[in-house]
C-alpha cells in the first residue's frame, strides 16, 4: 500500500452537481475567526504548469471565468488571509502570467520554476523567492482552483493553528470518491495517518468518502527542512509535495485535516469542459448571493454575471442578460431581457431593455432601448432616454432629454429637456479628426437632421426636419437648411404612362374633379 502519495495522482476530478453555495460569493469573515488571527507567514500559489489539455495558446491559469483568470480567483481568495507574503510560482509562459499578475494583482511576488520538477520543487522555488525560511504557517494552493474561497482557507489556517499540526490537509467529503486519494484517519485522535490512492486502497478504505484536495497548511520551518529531504525515486522522477507529509509523520509530527464545507470548492480545471462547468457553478453562487441580498433574477439559468458586479436591493434582472466587469445595478432598476452591460452603472429606477452598453453611465429613472447601443463615454442624465435603435458614443445627455429612435449621437453634449428627432446623425468625423457638437437645453430638432460638427445649437432653438446643420444656431432661432420644394404636375402620366402609379394618379385626379 502506498501512502501520502503524489499530488499529481490525487487531484480531484471535476464532478459538477447542483450547487448549494453560501450566498455571499465574496466570502465574509467566518464567525469566530477574525482575519488577523492565524495570519499565515506566506501563501504559495502553484501556477507553473502548462495545462496541455486546455489545447490553447493561452496558459491554463490565465483562462477566465466570471471576469477573472483562474489564478486571479485563487490570488483573490489567498489575499483574504492577509498573508505576510504571497508568492505565485510560474513556469510555462511565465512572462504572460507575470505580466497579468503585475497588472491586476499588484504586490504579488512571483517565483520561477524553470523546469517543472514536481510540486515539492515548485514550493521550494516559492520559499527561495522569500529569501528566508518563513516563521509561521505556509499555505500552499493550486492556481487552477477558482472556486476555492477565502473562508475555507481561513478555516484551514485556524484548524492548523488550533490543532498544533505540522501540516494540515484540506479535505472534502464527496458523494462518489472513486478515483480519489482517500484520507485515512486515526480513529482515536482524528489525525491523518495516510492518503491512499484508489488503486492501492482496500475495500474498507474505498468506502471512505473524504478525499485529498491538494491544498495544505504547513509549519514553515518544518516544511523547509522536509523539502530538502524529498527524493525523486518515483515513476515521474519528480519531487512530490505529499512526500513531505510522510517525512513529517515519520519524524513524529502530527498531520491533521480541515474539511471543506462544500466539496466543489476544491475542484481543479484541466480542460474547457471543466472550465465551463466551473463557470456555471460560480455563476449560480453569484446569483444566489444577489438574490439573497434582495435582487430579483427572473431566470437564473439564462443570466451571467462577473464576480465584480454589484447590485442594490429590488433590482430586477430579466432573462438573457449578461452583467460584466464593474457593472453596478441600482435600486429598483430593471435590466433586460437580452441585455449585455460591461463596466456600466445603472441608476436607481432606470429601465434598460435589449441593450448593449460598454463603460456607460445610465442615470436614475433613465430609459434605454430596446435595441440601443451605448459605447464608452456615454452618460445619460436623470430621466433621459436613448430609445429604439439609438447608438451613442462619448456623449453626455442632460436630464429629461430624449433621443427616441433611429439616431447616432457621437462626441456630443446635449442639455436638459431637449428632444432629438428621429433619424438624426451627429456627423463627428471629417476623415481625420473627431469633432464635438453641443446642443443646448429645451431644444427641438427635427427628424432626419444632420449635425455636422463642430457646431453649437443654443438653448431653446429649433431645427427643421430634413436639415443639414453646418453652422451654429443662436438661442431661440429656427434653422432651416434644405432646398425649396417644387412640384412638377403631370410628371408621372408623362414619364410613366400605363404604370400602376399613373393609373392611381388618374383615378385620384378624376375623383378629386368629381368632388369639386
Amino acid at each position: 500500500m502506498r501512502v501520502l502519495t503524489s499530488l499529481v495522482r490525487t487531484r480531484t476530478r471535476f464532478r459538477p452537481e447542483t450547487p448549494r453555495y453560501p450566498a455571499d460569493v465574496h466570502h465574509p469573515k467566518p464567525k469566530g475567526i477574525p482575519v488577523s488571527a492565524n495570519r499565515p507567514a506566506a501563501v504559495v500559489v502553484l501556477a507553473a504548469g502548462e495545462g496541455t489539455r486546455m489545447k490553447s495558446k493561452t496558459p491554463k491559469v490565465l483562462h477566465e471565468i466570471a471576469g477573472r483568470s483562474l489564478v486571479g480567483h485563487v490570488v483573490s481568495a489567498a489575499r483574504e488571509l492577509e498573508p505576510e507574503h504571497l508568492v505565485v510560482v510560474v513556469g510555462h509562459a511565465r512572462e504572460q502570467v507575470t505580466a497579468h499578475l503585475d497588472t491586476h494583482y499588484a504586490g504579488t511576488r512571483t517565483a520561477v520554476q524553470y523546469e517543472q520538477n514536481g510540486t515539492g520543487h515548485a514550493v521550494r522555488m516559492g520559499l527561495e523567492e522569500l529569501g528566508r525560511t518563513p516563521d509561521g504557517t505556509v499555505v500552499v494552493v493550486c492556481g487552477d482552483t477558482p472556486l476555492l474561497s477565502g473562508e475555507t482557507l481561513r478555516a484551514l489556517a485556524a484548524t492548523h493553528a488550533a490543532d498544533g499540526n505540522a501540516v494540515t490537509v484540506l479535505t472534502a467529503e464527496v458523494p462518489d470518491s472513486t478515483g480519489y486519494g482517500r484520507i485515512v484517519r486515526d480513529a482515536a485522535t482524528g489525525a491523518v495517518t495516510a492518503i491512499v490512492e484508489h488503486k492501492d486502497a482496500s475495500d474498507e478504505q474505498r468506502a471512505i468518502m473524504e478525499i485529498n484536495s491538494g491544498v495544505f497548511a504547513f509549519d514553515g520551518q518544518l516544511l523547509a527542512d522536509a523539502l530538502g529531504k524529498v527524493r525523486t525515486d518515483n515513476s515521474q522522477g519528480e519531487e512530490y509535495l505529499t512526500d513531505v507529509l510522510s517525512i513529517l509523520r515519520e519524524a513524529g509530527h502530527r498531520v491533521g485535516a480541515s474539511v471543506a464545507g462544500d466539496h466543489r470548492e476544491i475542484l481543479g480545471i484541466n480542460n474547457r469542459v471543466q472550465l465551463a462547468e466551473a463557470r456555471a457553478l460560480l455563476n449560480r453562487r453569484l446569483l444566489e448571493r444577489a438574490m439573497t441580498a434582495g435582487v430579483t433574477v427572473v431566470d437564473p439559468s439564462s443570466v451571467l454575471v462577473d464576480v465584480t458586479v454589484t447590485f442594490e436591493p429590488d433590482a430586477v434582472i430579466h432573462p438573457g442578460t449578461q452583467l460584466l466587469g464593474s457593472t453596478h445595478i441600482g435600486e429598483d432598476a430593471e435590466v433586460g431581457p437580452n441585455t449585455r452591460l460591461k463596466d456600466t452603472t445603472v441608476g436607481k429606477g432606470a429601465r434598460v431593455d435589449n441593450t448593449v452598453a460598454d463603460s456607460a453611465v445610465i442615470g436614475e429613472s433613465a430609459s434605454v432601448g430596446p435595441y440601443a447601443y451605448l459605447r464608452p463615454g456615454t452618460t445619460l442624465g436623470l430621466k433621459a432616454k436613448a430609445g429604439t435603435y439609438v447608438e451613442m458614443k462619448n456623449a453626455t445627455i442632460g436630464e429629461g432629454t430624449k433621443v427616441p429612435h433611429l439616431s447616432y449621437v457621437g462626441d456630443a453634449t446635449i442639455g436638459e429637456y431637449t428632444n432629438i428627432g428621429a433619424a438624426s446623425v451627429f456627423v463627428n468625423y471629417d476623415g481625420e479628426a473627431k469633432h464635438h457638437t453641443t446642443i443646448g437645453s429645451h431644444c427641438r430638432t427635427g427628424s432626419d437632421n444632420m449635425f455636422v460638427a463642430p457646431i453649437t445649437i443654443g438653448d431653446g432653438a429649433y431645427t427643421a426636419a430634413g436639415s443639414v446643420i453646418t453652422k451654429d444656431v443662436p438661442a431661440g432661432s429656427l434653422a432651416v437648411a434644405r432646398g425649396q420644394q417644387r412640384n412638377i404636375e403631370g410628371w408621372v402620366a408623362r414619364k410613366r404612362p400605363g404604370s400602376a402609379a399613373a393609373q392611381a394618379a388618374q383615378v385620384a385626379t378624376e375623383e378629386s374633379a368629381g368632388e369639386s
Side-chain angles (χ1 to χ4, degrees):
M1 179 179 71
R2 179 173 299 172
V3 300
L4 300 175
T5 187
S6 163
L7 268 175
V8 174
R9 289 173 288 180
T10 58
R11 281 298 302 278
T12 306
R13 293 180 298 170
F14 203 110
R15 297 188 178 197
E17 296 180 10
T18 303
R20 291 292 183 269
Y21 281 100
D24 193 340
V25 74
H26 292 298
H27 320 300
K29 305 174 183 63
K31 294 180 180 179
I33 306 177
V35 170
S36 58
N38 312 310
R39 181 185 182 190
V43 175
V44 179
V45 180
L46 306 184
E50 183 175 357
T52 56
R53 281 177 283 177
M54 297 297 287
K55 301 188 185 306
S56 174
K57 62 180 177 295
T58 300
K60 180 175 75 169
V61 295
L62 295 189
H63 281 265
E64 292 188 359
I65 61 170
R68 279 187 188 149
S69 64
L70 299 184
V71 71
H73 283 285
V74 177
V75 168
S76 296
R79 280 183 166 179
E80 293 188 37
L81 292 172
E82 297 185 352
E84 295 178 34
H85 304 284
L86 176 55
V87 181
V88 179
V89 181
V90 298
H92 173 72
R94 56 185 176 273
E95 294 85 0
Q96 286 179 259
V97 178
T98 299
H100 173 77
L101 293 169
D102 288 344
T103 300
H104 299 284
Y105 304 96
T108 301
R109 301 172 69 168
T110 55
V112 179
Q113 186 185 25
Y114 290 99
E115 296 182 6
Q116 277 69 69
N117 291 329
T119 51
H121 178 258
V123 173
R124 189 152 54 84
M125 296 300 99
L127 297 184
E128 288 181 4
E129 167 62 24
L130 301 180
R132 62 180 177 83
T133 302
D135 186 13
T137 300
V138 175
V139 175
V140 177
V141 297
C142 301
D144 63 351
T145 52
L147 302 178
L148 187 63
S149 70
E151 180 179 1
T152 294
L153 290 178
R154 285 198 295 271
L156 171 66
T159 299
H160 180 74
D163 293 351
N165 297 328
V167 55
T168 305
V169 186
L170 179 64
T171 69
E173 295 180 356
V174 295
D176 180 4
S177 59
T178 303
Y180 298 161
R182 308 303 206 283
I183 299 295
V184 181
R185 292 178 180 257
D186 182 277
T189 66
V192 175
T193 60
I195 300 176
V196 184
E197 290 187 46
H198 177 84
K199 63 185 178 66
D200 295 326
S202 65
D203 290 341
E204 182 180 1
Q205 289 168 338
R206 289 187 179 187
I208 297 172
M209 295 293 104
E210 187 179 9
I211 57 94
N212 174 34
S213 71
V215 177
F216 305 91
F218 293 93
D219 177 281
Q221 298 290 332
L222 294 176
L223 171 63
D225 181 67
L227 283 172
K229 300 175 182 178
V230 172
R231 301 171 60 180
T232 58
D233 55 346
N234 51 64
S235 61
Q236 301 296 321
E238 296 180 349
E239 299 175 30
Y240 293 144
L241 182 60
T242 43
D243 287 350
V244 169
L245 279 67
S246 59
I247 291 170
L248 293 177
R249 181 168 176 79
E250 289 169 4
H253 299 289
R254 190 177 191 276
V255 178
S258 175
V259 183
D262 191 309
H263 70 273
R264 299 169 192 82
E265 286 198 24
I266 68 174
L267 300 176
I269 307 299
N270 293 304
N271 57 48
R272 303 203 196 210
V273 174
Q274 294 172 351
L275 187 73
E277 290 166 345
R279 179 59 162 102
L281 289 168
L282 180 53
N283 192 70
R284 181 70 191 191
R285 186 197 296 182
L286 290 163
L287 292 177
E288 285 182 358
R289 170 180 178 258
M291 290 186 286
T292 302
V295 177
T296 295
V297 182
V298 177
D299 179 15
S301 66
S302 68
V303 173
L304 288 177
V305 293
D306 281 351
V307 293
T308 45
V309 172
T310 54
F311 302 85
E312 292 179 21
D314 290 319
V316 178
I317 311 301
H318 289 283
T321 295
Q322 299 178 40
L323 304 175
L324 311 175
S326 59
T327 293
H328 175 77
I329 310 300
E331 181 182 356
D332 295 320
E334 199 168 346
V335 178
N338 307 318
T339 293
R340 182 180 186 273
L341 307 182
K342 180 181 179 182
D343 299 328
T344 293
T345 298
V346 180
K348 178 180 179 180
R351 179 71 177 94
V352 184
D353 179 7
N354 284 271
T355 291
V356 174
D358 182 0
S359 303
V361 176
I362 300 169
E364 291 188 12
S365 301
S367 173
V368 182
Y371 315 117
Y373 181 22
L374 306 185
R375 293 164 58 189
T378 297
T379 299
L380 295 180
L382 174 69
K383 297 182 180 179
K385 179 175 183 177
T388 307
Y389 297 112
V390 168
E391 179 180 348
M392 293 182 174
K393 185 268 296 183
N394 193 28
T396 300
I397 312 300
E399 176 180 341
T401 287
K402 297 180 179 180
V403 185
H405 29 231
L406 299 164
S407 297
Y408 170 68
V409 180
D411 297 291
T413 301
I414 305 177
E416 300 178 348
Y417 298 100
T418 285
N419 189 86
I420 304 299
S424 293
V425 176
F426 286 61
V427 186
N428 56 336
Y429 185 48
D430 64 6
E432 303 216 355
K434 298 291 181 69
H435 301 281
H436 199 82
T437 294
T438 300
I439 297 179
S441 299
H442 300 281
C443 294
R444 298 291 182 268
T445 69
S447 296
D448 196 26
N449 273 195
M450 300 283 175
F451 301 103
V452 183
I455 55 168
T456 298
I457 297 175
D459 292 347
Y462 280 56
T463 62
S467 293
V468 178
I469 306 299
T470 59
K471 298 178 181 178
D472 290 351
V473 180
S477 300
L478 168 65
V480 182
R482 62 190 184 201
Q484 293 293 323
Q485 180 174 324
R486 182 166 65 98
N487 298 332
I488 303 174
E489 296 187 5
W491 184 90
V492 173
R494 293 194 301 274
K495 298 297 184 179
R496 303 288 187 269
S499 66
Q503 294 174 20
Q506 181 177 354
V507 170
T509 301
E510 291 172 352
E511 289 178 350
S512 177
E515 291 175 0
S516 300

